[in-house]
């Protein structure tokens, strides 16, 4: 009888998590779609500003790690010159990093983050939850911070 109860409880937990995941995914897709429609004129202006102010791509892509160590490319508007990380990536210090003039503006106003709603729409990120970290820092943080990987389970 105890085994049946445990199996039943596991099924309820699985059902709750599946239902929760379905609702959260639906919410993310609906909200990201609405937000992208509303901010598309702003994104167009930012894209034009990036192209007009510096050579190179409009988007900056970073490999990030999310739930179950799944890697994806997170999109941001490019605020730095294209060769900024040629000598490697360093943690933090965003104020000391070289930004273009227009890049300083979009970073100060967080407009560089707007393309992340495309990642939400693709299912790589969620609107609510922990921000996925860069792959190169995951190993370092998991060694130095106890239970660090638990944050990816939210």
């Amino acid at each position: 009888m105890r085994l049946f109860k445990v199996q039943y409880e596991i099924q309820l937990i699985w059902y709750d998590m599946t239902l929760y995941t379905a609702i959260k995914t639906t919410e993310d897709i609906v909200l990201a779609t609405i937000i992208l429609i509303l901010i598309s004129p702003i994104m167009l202006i930012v894209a034009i500003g990036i192209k007009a102010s510096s050579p190179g791509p409009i988007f900056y892509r970073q490999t990030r790690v999310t739930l179950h160590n799944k890697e994806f490319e997170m999109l941001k508007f490019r605020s730095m010159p294209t060769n900024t990380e040629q000598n490697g990536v360093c943690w933090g210090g965003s104020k000391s990093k070289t930004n273009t003039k227009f890049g300083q503006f979009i970073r100060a106003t967080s407009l560089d983050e707007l393309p992340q709603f495309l990642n939400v729409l693709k299912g790589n990120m969620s609107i609510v939850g922990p921000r996925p970290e860069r792959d190169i820092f995951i190993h370092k943080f998991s060694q130095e911070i106890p239970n660090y990987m638990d944050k990816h389970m939210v």
Side-chain angles (χ1 to χ4, degrees), residues 1-13:
M1 192 61 152
R2 173 94 174 117
L3 180 62
F4 176 73
K5 184 177 180 186
V6 169
Q7 184 178 8
Y8 177 73
E9 289 173 1
I10 290 171
Q11 282 180 318
L12 283 178
I13 292 169

Side-chain angles (χ1 to χ4, degrees), residues 2-151:
R2 173 94 174 117
L3 180 62
F4 176 73
K5 184 177 180 186
V6 169
Q7 184 178 8
Y8 177 73
E9 289 173 1
I10 290 171
Q11 282 180 318
L12 283 178
I13 292 169
W14 180 84
Y15 175 75
D16 288 345
M17 288 306 294
T18 303
L19 183 61
Y20 169 78
T21 303
I23 291 170
K24 188 168 171 56
T25 301
T26 303
E27 175 187 58
D28 282 341
I29 291 169
V30 169
L31 287 176
T33 301
I34 293 168
I35 291 168
L36 282 167
I37 289 168
L38 293 175
I39 66 172
S40 61
I42 297 168
M43 290 181 69
L44 180 62
I45 292 167
V46 171
I48 292 168
I50 291 169
K51 273 314 222 187
S53 66
S54 66
I58 293 170
F59 294 112
Y60 175 68
R61 289 169 164 67
Q62 288 181 334
T63 301
R64 297 284 180 132
V65 178
T66 186
L67 190 62
H68 307 300
N69 288 324
K70 179 183 165 192
E71 290 186 4
F72 70 97
E73 283 194 338
M74 186 173 80
L75 292 174
K76 296 176 84 169
F77 280 125
R78 185 177 57 82
S79 61
M80 299 180 282
T82 56
N83 61 353
T84 301
E85 293 184 340
Q86 68 186 7
N87 295 328
V89 178
C90 62
W91 169 255
S94 63
K95 298 248 189 260
S96 65
K97 291 181 179 173
T98 307
N99 290 322
T100 64
K101 290 284 185 197
F102 190 72
Q104 289 173 353
F105 168 72
I106 65 172
R107 283 188 74 126
T109 56
S110 297
L111 292 173
D112 62 326
E113 308 285 346
L114 293 180
Q116 292 176 35
F117 285 108
L118 295 168
N119 288 113
V120 173
L121 196 58
K122 288 171 31 179
N124 293 327
M125 293 175 63
S126 181
I127 291 176
V128 177
R131 181 181 173 124
E133 189 51 72
R134 293 185 78 167
D135 59 337
I136 59 174
F137 297 120
I138 292 288
H139 181 70
K140 180 180 180 356
F141 293 159
S142 64
Q143 298 293 320
E144 295 174 2
I145 302 169
N147 304 317
Y148 172 78
M149 294 305 288
D150 291 351
K151 86 170 203 135

